[in-house]
Amino acid sequence: MSAHDQVGVSRPHESAALHVSGEAIYTDDIAEPAGTLHAALGLSPVAHGRLLSIDLDLLRAQPGVLAVLTAADIPGSNNCGPLLHDDPILAADVLSYLGQPVFAVIASSRDLARRAAALAKTAIRFEALPAVLNAKAAHELGQYVLPPMHLSRGDAASALATAPQRLSGSWSVGGQEQFYLEGQISYALPQEQQAMLLCCSTQHPSEMQQLVAHALGYAAHQVQVQCRRMGGGFGGKESQSALFACVAAIAAAKLRRPVKLRLDRDDDFMITGRRHGFDYRWDVGFDETGMILGAEVDLISNCGHSADLSAPVMARALCHFDNAYFLPHVALHGFCARTNTQSNTAFRGFGGPQGALAIEMILDSVARRLGLDPLLVRQRNLYSDSGERNITPYGQQVEDNILAALINRLVDNSDYQTRREAIAVYNRHSLVLKKGLALTPLKFGISFNVVHLNQAGALVHVYTDGSVLVNHGGTEMGQGLNTKVAQVVAHELGLPLSSVRCSATDTQKIANTSATAASTGSDLNGKAAQDAARKIKQRLSSLAAQLFGCTPEKVLFGGGRVSAGEQSLSFAELVHKAYMQRIQLWADGFYTTPGLHWDRANLRGKPFYYFAYGAAVAEVLVDTLSGESRVTRADVLHDVGKSLNPALDIGQIEGAFVQGMGWLTTEELRWHPQTGALLTHAPSTYKIPTANDSPPDFRVSLFDQANAIDSIHRSKAVGEPPLLLPFSVLLAIKDAVASAGPVGCDPLLMAPATAEAVLSALQAVRAVGTV
């Protein structure tokens, strides 16, 4: 690495100072033109019913109300479903969940709009219908948002029948609220010639453009969507920002005035979906060493009332069930249950965590059945580098398999074996407090599992003073995407990072973009920006070669200068000369991920460009009287290839670990069993982890090895994979609970492992010990 390199070095987030100073502009900070109106949504008061009427006169008579919109007022399509046309913007005939938007109030102020919308319980008349409120009930009824999916290899039934050992069980994991700091918001501003500018907090500007155009009956070129930054997304603003974008745009087009729709936290919880909760039923065969011989597993996801992104979420769950392990005979069945609740959607990991968590729970139970260290069982089942034990159930070869070496390094660095022995001694002498320890690995596939989405575009503009502006199709939600893309361009042109700036994502600059999701932001947009920068660099190299009297290959860019041998000039001087010679100083770049293919009907192919790996050791302390638990230490070793920005990557890993830990320990979603009302709809009732919940001893290291695949500067994605690291926390809690029971017990610990769930598991193992 040279002193002029701009990638592979830690750089501050491009908006870090703006974040802490309050200068960063989010959608709600945009200066409001005179005449701006505000929208609020009237929500269904019932989980399932037939909509009979809405008392519009009552709503229109409220102070400050200028208009009330219903489904009948939508000029185009009343649909905001990203894949299937089953998700209305405003309910028209059927009420599908408690909290579903039925009408929109447009008023002179946000407060007045919300006050009028709150009359929904009075204004909406309905006929109640039976509601299905949990995935198990929907599964028993055969009620799905799309047909079941099946992924199989070998002969699972025969492998189970002949296995020396067999284990069956059921388990469940709850969903998770994205809890982005900035809630859902859209600001629509009518433009001349029947056009619409939409400032939207969204991970998918192009999809918002298309859906708003469909709702208005416009062509796509009449709708412009901008997003400078989001205050967090985590998947919750991939598809589900659409409803709010459409309502704001419809109101603005009808009234020909700017309209802002900003949800408060309670309404955000009540309207939007979240991570899919999963129920599992499994039957597993194995031998006396813990080697898995066959498995048949049902995965039942709670999809809510509509399909949204549930199909690709389930597909990814099925493709990640294997996690890090070779499974010779499997039969996996995915059921996407339709319930009368919010439509669940993308969340960091996109089904991958729900799939991989199942095999980790199974392997832990296998180890306890056999009286073996769960780490040993995991290591025995890992994918290998040769033979048939490096092919996934869906047919992709596991290449660049570094996991065994990564685990061995983590075992040594974390002093796993010594701590395991010390914890056993501690637990024998401690009656109330119990410690637990667990090491879990991960293998996570990187790419959209819909092949055509793996593309990106970028624009790079070089100005005559030598400064550079970059625009790409990705969105910045705090993860540092703009910082990394700017580093890539600065590195390519040999400039200091301060010379390069990224502008707001804009559908009028980069068209037909994919969502910033699936951990592909840096991979796709970084490559596209690099492609654009290289085109400009080639033009400048040719000019420099003429000036220096050499070949273009001899021209070097670095430190803000361009040189060949002893001759050099500043980058700005060369740019000025290029301008004077009418050489194009801007370029577009494009990138498509190579080698992908996927048969969605049979779940076969190569859906992932490469795999990212990692492992974590978690140590916990459990109070057996209260059920409370605490992570006392976490050791993480994670694979990001050759990191583009180590500081940002470590921050992403730390954040993912704590977020995943929250999913598995404290973030419990509850609905009223009769009415279907979401009971955990605010910070007072839904508990995300705080800084105090972070491990006091938190050791995060990068497994610094270049990606074997030609990714952007041989780096690897870091958005979603590390969310699987805190599996170690859940299993460490289970380990602590097991120490309170008889030798060899296998506690049934549900997730999230709240204090109540831990107490329930403790009572069960103690009951076994007294029999």
Side-chain angles (χ1 to χ4, degrees):
M1 181 177 293
S2 77
H4 301 312
D5 286 346
Q6 296 299 322
V7 296
V9 293
S10 294
R11 293 284 187 262
H13 189 289
E14 50 97 24
S15 294
L18 303 179
H19 291 157
V20 298
S21 67
E23 296 177 80
I25 301 296
Y26 294 88
T27 301
D28 200 34
D29 300 316
I30 296 170
E32 297 178 4
T36 291
L37 302 176
H38 296 266
L41 298 169
L43 309 182
S44 169
V46 65
H48 193 202
R50 186 171 292 109
L51 179 60
L52 301 179
S53 65
I54 305 170
D55 190 345
L56 298 177
D57 291 336
L58 171 67
L59 299 170
R60 289 166 179 157
Q62 300 308 304
V65 173
L66 280 78
V68 180
L69 305 181
T70 68
D73 296 302
I74 298 174
S77 170
N78 182 24
N79 170 67
C80 58
L83 299 178
L84 301 182
H85 302 298
D86 64 346
D87 203 347
I89 298 168
L90 296 174
D93 301 309
V94 176
L95 304 175
S96 298
Y97 68 97
L98 197 157
Q100 181 179 17
V102 180
F103 61 83
V105 174
I106 318 302
S108 56
S109 74
R110 182 171 178 268
D111 183 61
L112 291 174
R114 292 186 66 225
R115 288 177 182 272
L119 296 173
K121 292 181 180 179
T122 303
I124 296 173
R125 298 188 181 94
F126 61 90
E127 175 190 346
L129 298 173
V132 178
L133 300 176
N134 66 77
K136 286 183 179 179
H139 181 55
E140 293 302 321
L141 293 170
Q143 186 170 296
Y144 308 117
V145 297
L146 50 104
M149 302 180 185
H150 304 282
L151 172 58
S152 63
R153 173 168 62 187
D155 187 345
S158 296
L160 288 168
T162 59
Q165 298 272 351
R166 196 161 172 175
L167 179 69
S168 62
S170 60
W171 193 68
S172 65
V173 61
Q176 184 181 20
E177 169 63 35
Q178 289 90 355
F179 216 104
Y180 22 69
L181 290 179
E182 177 199 29
Q184 297 279 5
I185 180 170
S186 286
Y187 190 15
L189 299 97
Q191 306 292 295
E192 62 183 25
Q193 294 183 317
Q194 213 176 18
M196 186 67 63
L197 169 62
L198 190 72
C199 300
C200 184
S201 184
T202 180
Q203 296 172 238
H204 202 343
S206 286
E207 185 172 283
M208 299 308 103
Q209 177 190 31
Q210 294 291 339
L211 291 173
V212 166
H214 291 160
L216 293 175
Y218 286 6
H221 73 265
Q222 292 172 268
V223 179
Q224 177 184 5
V225 179
Q226 289 182 346
C227 179
R228 172 61 184 92
R229 60 171 59 84
M230 285 169 278
F234 307 116
K237 295 175 181 176
E238 180 174 348
S239 64
Q240 297 217 343
S241 49
L243 187 151
F244 315 105
C246 289
V247 169
I250 292 164
K254 182 179 180 67
L255 299 173
R256 298 306 300 168
R257 290 172 65 178
V259 175
K260 180 185 289 187
L261 173 52
R262 172 169 64 87
L263 296 189
D264 70 356
R265 186 66 64 182
D266 288 80
D267 284 351
D268 203 320
F269 264 85
M270 294 297 290
I271 296 170
T272 63
R274 42 200 61 86
R275 184 188 297 281
H276 296 66
F278 269 60
D279 291 284
Y280 310 89
R281 298 170 184 168
W282 59 62
D283 191 357
V284 179
F286 52 98
D287 64 20
E288 290 79 2
T289 68
M291 294 289 287
I292 301 298
L293 304 176
E296 183 161 12
V297 185
D298 291 344
L299 297 88
I300 307 164
S301 66
N302 184 350
C303 300
H305 76 97
S306 67
D308 196 84
L309 295 169
S310 293
V313 165
M314 178 57 77
R316 188 171 282 265
L318 294 170
C319 289
H320 281 77
F321 173 81
D322 62 321
N323 193 22
Y325 313 108
F326 176 75
L327 307 174
H329 300 278
V330 291
L332 307 177
H333 313 289
F335 302 95
C336 296
R338 182 192 300 275
T339 61
N340 293 114
T341 59
Q342 295 83 358
S343 187
N344 288 322
T345 189
F347 195 122
R348 195 175 192 174
F350 202 77
Q354 294 97 309
L357 183 55
I359 191 63
E360 293 298 338
M361 298 302 294
I362 290 169
L363 288 177
D364 190 83
S365 292
V366 166
R368 295 185 187 284
R369 167 75 70 86
L370 298 173
L372 299 173
D373 186 338
L375 172 59
L376 180 61
V377 173
R378 289 187 169 90
Q379 288 175 312
R380 286 174 174 170
N381 282 283
L382 289 175
Y383 280 104
S384 65
D385 293 327
S386 59
E388 296 182 352
R389 292 186 62 85
N390 65 349
I391 305 296
T392 67
Y394 47 90
Q396 179 166 345
Q397 184 176 348
V398 180
E399 300 171 305
D400 185 30
N401 186 0
I402 60 174
L403 197 47
L406 187 152
I407 291 173
N408 288 337
R409 185 185 300 181
L410 181 62
V411 167
D412 291 340
N413 292 348
S414 66
D415 204 14
Y416 175 88
Q417 299 297 347
T418 301
R419 291 165 63 195
R420 168 63 73 192
E421 295 168 4
I423 285 172
V425 173
Y426 176 91
N427 286 339
R428 284 196 295 269
H429 294 90
S430 178
L431 298 179
V432 175
L433 299 179
K434 298 291 184 181
K435 290 184 177 182
L437 188 72
L439 187 154
T440 57
L442 70 90
K443 172 183 67 68
F444 197 92
I446 304 300
S447 289
F448 286 100
N449 51 0
V450 177
V451 172
H452 73 267
L453 297 179
N454 295 281
Q455 59 176 295
L459 288 173
V460 174
H461 292 186
V462 177
Y463 296 99
T464 55
D465 64 353
S467 64
V468 179
L469 183 70
V470 183
N471 190 273
H472 58 86
T475 54
E476 174 62 57
M477 62 192 93
Q479 82 278 39
L481 174 59
N482 282 345
T483 308
K484 286 185 174 181
V485 172
Q487 285 181 267
V488 167
V489 172
H491 183 85
E492 197 64 37
L493 297 178
L495 295 172
L497 185 57
S498 59
S499 295
V500 181
R501 176 175 174 266
C502 286
S503 57
T505 310
D506 190 329
T507 56
Q508 287 193 351
K509 293 181 180 177
I510 307 296
N512 310 319
T513 59
S514 298
T516 304
S519 304
T520 61
S522 296
D523 282 7
L524 295 178
N525 296 287
K527 277 285 194 178
Q530 183 186 57
D531 179 49
R534 283 181 172 173
K535 291 175 181 177
I536 297 171
K537 185 178 180 179
Q538 288 170 358
R539 297 169 194 155
L540 293 176
S541 293
S542 297
L543 174 60
Q546 295 175 22
L547 297 174
F548 295 149
C550 65
T551 62
E553 292 75 23
K554 298 290 186 181
V555 177
L556 302 177
F557 290 70
R561 298 193 67 79
V562 183
S563 61
E566 299 298 320
Q567 303 178 79
S568 76
L569 72 167
S570 72
F571 181 82
E573 289 173 318
L574 180 61
V575 166
H576 182 73
K577 291 179 183 295
Y579 172 73
M580 297 304 293
Q581 295 198 28
R582 296 182 294 178
I583 293 174
Q584 184 177 334
L585 290 171
W586 62 270
D588 62 286
F590 189 69
Y591 175 74
T592 61
T593 309
L596 303 179
H597 56 92
W598 183 239
D599 180 347
R600 283 191 288 174
N602 297 304
L603 301 184
R604 288 285 187 277
K606 183 183 178 182
F608 306 121
Y609 188 39
Y610 61 84
F611 295 103
Y613 304 92
V617 177
E619 182 176 330
V620 304
L621 187 65
V622 172
D623 184 333
T624 61
L625 297 181
S626 67
E628 293 178 285
S629 62
R630 173 75 172 166
V631 182
T632 57
R633 177 177 166 182
D635 296 73
V636 170
L637 184 58
H638 195 72
D639 162 41
V640 296
K642 293 296 290 184
S643 173
L644 291 173
N645 187 320
L648 290 183
D649 286 347
I650 289 173
Q652 284 288 291
I653 294 165
E654 291 171 341
F657 188 95
V658 174
Q659 187 174 49
M661 184 179 73
W663 169 45
L664 297 173
T665 59
T666 65
E667 298 185 41
E668 184 175 30
L669 292 161
R670 283 186 177 271
W671 285 262
H672 192 286
Q674 279 79 47
T675 67
L678 180 64
L679 301 176
T680 49
H681 56 82
S684 58
T685 52
Y686 185 82
K687 297 300 182 182
I688 64 171
T690 69
N692 289 333
D693 297 304
S694 298
D697 189 351
F698 199 4
R699 311 180 188 193
V700 176
S701 299
L702 302 180
F703 190 79
D704 190 18
Q705 181 170 313
N707 193 350
I709 303 298
D710 180 26
S711 57
I712 184 67
H713 288 284
R714 302 285 174 167
S715 64
K716 287 189 178 183
V718 73
E720 294 174 310
L723 198 130
L724 281 64
L725 294 167
F727 290 179
S728 57
V729 173
L730 178 65
L731 288 163
I733 295 173
K734 182 183 176 184
D735 187 53
V737 171
S739 71
V743 175
C745 72
D746 184 22
L748 181 60
L749 177 63
M750 294 298 181
T754 61
E756 294 86 351
V758 172
L759 273 179
S760 178
L762 284 164
Q763 291 166 359
V765 298
R766 285 167 174 159
V768 171
T770 58
V771 173

